[in-house]
mmCIF file of all heavy atoms in Angstrom:
data_model
loop_
_atom_site.group_PDB
_atom_site.id
_atom_site.type_symbol
_atom_site.label_atom_id
_atom_site.label_comp_id
_atom_site.label_asym_id
_atom_site.label_seq_id
_atom_site.Cartn_x
_atom_site.Cartn_y
_atom_site.Cartn_z
ATOM 1 N N GLY B 407 -25.392 -1.628 42.599
ATOM 2 C CA GLY B 407 -24.748 -0.424 43.091
ATOM 3 C C GLY B 407 -23.272 -0.363 42.786
ATOM 4 O O GLY B 407 -22.719 0.692 42.506
ATOM 5 N N ALA B 408 -22.610 -1.509 42.792
ATOM 6 C CA ALA B 408 -21.164 -1.535 42.606
ATOM 7 C C ALA B 408 -20.771 -1.485 41.122
ATOM 8 O O ALA B 408 -19.609 -1.391 40.792
ATOM 9 C CB ALA B 408 -20.570 -2.803 43.225
ATOM 10 N N ALA B 409 -21.774 -1.522 40.267
ATOM 11 C CA ALA B 409 -21.477 -1.671 38.839
ATOM 12 C C ALA B 409 -20.619 -0.539 38.283
ATOM 13 O O ALA B 409 -19.678 -0.765 37.549
ATOM 14 C CB ALA B 409 -22.777 -1.763 38.048
ATOM 15 N N ALA B 410 -20.968 0.711 38.664
ATOM 16 C CA ALA B 410 -20.271 1.857 38.092
ATOM 17 C C ALA B 410 -18.762 1.743 38.267
ATOM 18 O O ALA B 410 -17.991 1.989 37.349
ATOM 19 C CB ALA B 410 -20.779 3.138 38.713
ATOM 20 N N GLY B 411 -18.373 1.360 39.444
ATOM 21 C CA GLY B 411 -16.934 1.234 39.703
ATOM 22 C C GLY B 411 -16.326 0.083 38.954
ATOM 23 O O GLY B 411 -15.179 0.162 38.509
ATOM 24 N N ALA B 412 -17.096 -1.003 38.816
ATOM 25 C CA ALA B 412 -16.546 -2.207 38.194
ATOM 26 C C ALA B 412 -16.521 -2.118 36.672
ATOM 27 O O ALA B 412 -15.855 -2.897 36.024
ATOM 28 C CB ALA B 412 -17.377 -3.423 38.616
ATOM 29 N N THR B 413 -17.273 -1.140 36.130
ATOM 30 C CA THR B 413 -17.442 -1.083 34.679
ATOM 31 C C THR B 413 -16.119 -1.081 33.922
ATOM 32 O O THR B 413 -15.921 -1.851 32.996
ATOM 33 C CB THR B 413 -18.233 0.179 34.297
ATOM 34 O OG1 THR B 413 -19.396 0.203 35.068
ATOM 35 C CG2 THR B 413 -18.560 0.153 32.826
ATOM 36 N N ALA B 414 -15.257 -0.184 34.352
ATOM 37 C CA ALA B 414 -14.006 -0.014 33.617
ATOM 38 C C ALA B 414 -13.288 -1.349 33.447
ATOM 39 O O ALA B 414 -12.895 -1.723 32.357
ATOM 40 C CB ALA B 414 -13.109 0.983 34.319
ATOM 41 N N GLY B 415 -13.156 -2.044 34.551
ATOM 42 C CA GLY B 415 -12.460 -3.328 34.499
ATOM 43 C C GLY B 415 -13.208 -4.327 33.648
ATOM 44 O O GLY B 415 -12.605 -5.031 32.849
ATOM 45 N N ALA B 416 -14.534 -4.335 33.789
ATOM 46 C CA ALA B 416 -15.332 -5.292 33.024
ATOM 47 C C ALA B 416 -15.197 -5.036 31.539
ATOM 48 O O ALA B 416 -15.024 -5.959 30.748
ATOM 49 C CB ALA B 416 -16.787 -5.202 33.451
ATOM 50 N N VAL B 417 -15.263 -3.767 31.167
ATOM 51 C CA VAL B 417 -15.157 -3.421 29.755
ATOM 52 C C VAL B 417 -13.825 -3.898 29.206
ATOM 53 O O VAL B 417 -13.732 -4.500 28.153
ATOM 54 C CB VAL B 417 -15.334 -1.901 29.560
ATOM 55 C CG1 VAL B 417 -14.950 -1.507 28.157
ATOM 56 C CG2 VAL B 417 -16.765 -1.507 29.866
ATOM 57 N N THR B 418 -12.777 -3.659 29.994
ATOM 58 C CA THR B 418 -11.442 -4.051 29.538
ATOM 59 C C THR B 418 -11.373 -5.551 29.293
ATOM 60 O O THR B 418 -10.974 -5.999 28.234
ATOM 61 C CB THR B 418 -10.381 -3.685 30.586
ATOM 62 O OG1 THR B 418 -10.571 -2.336 30.941
ATOM 63 C CG2 THR B 418 -8.993 -3.893 30.031
ATOM 64 N N SER B 419 -11.803 -6.316 30.278
ATOM 65 C CA SER B 419 -11.610 -7.753 30.152
ATOM 66 C C SER B 419 -12.498 -8.326 29.052
ATOM 67 O O SER B 419 -12.086 -9.175 28.289
ATOM 68 C CB SER B 419 -11.916 -8.449 31.484
ATOM 69 O OG SER B 419 -13.243 -8.151 31.856
ATOM 70 N N GLU B 420 -13.714 -7.784 28.925
ATOM 71 C CA GLU B 420 -14.619 -8.291 27.904
ATOM 72 C C GLU B 420 -14.011 -8.062 26.527
ATOM 73 O O GLU B 420 -13.936 -8.962 25.691
ATOM 74 C CB GLU B 420 -15.967 -7.590 28.001
ATOM 75 C CG GLU B 420 -17.166 -8.429 27.601
ATOM 76 C CD GLU B 420 -17.254 -8.724 26.134
ATOM 77 O OE1 GLU B 420 -16.864 -7.882 25.319
ATOM 78 O OE2 GLU B 420 -17.725 -9.826 25.795
ATOM 79 N N ALA B 421 -13.569 -6.838 26.322
ATOM 80 C CA ALA B 421 -13.031 -6.496 25.015
ATOM 81 C C ALA B 421 -11.799 -7.344 24.716
ATOM 82 O O ALA B 421 -11.603 -7.813 23.608
ATOM 83 C CB ALA B 421 -12.671 -5.021 24.965
ATOM 84 N N ALA B 422 -10.972 -7.520 25.723
ATOM 85 C CA ALA B 422 -9.726 -8.258 25.515
ATOM 86 C C ALA B 422 -10.028 -9.709 25.158
ATOM 87 O O ALA B 422 -9.459 -10.248 24.221
ATOM 88 C CB ALA B 422 -8.864 -8.196 26.763
ATOM 89 N N THR B 423 -10.958 -10.324 25.873
ATOM 90 C CA THR B 423 -11.239 -11.730 25.576
ATOM 91 C C THR B 423 -11.939 -11.872 24.232
ATOM 92 O O THR B 423 -11.696 -12.821 23.506
ATOM 93 C CB THR B 423 -12.121 -12.359 26.670
ATOM 94 O OG1 THR B 423 -13.175 -11.457 26.961
ATOM 95 C CG2 THR B 423 -11.350 -12.665 27.918
#
Side-chain angles (χ1 to χ4, degrees):
Chain B
T413 308
V417 169
T418 310
S419 58
E420 212 290 326
T423 46

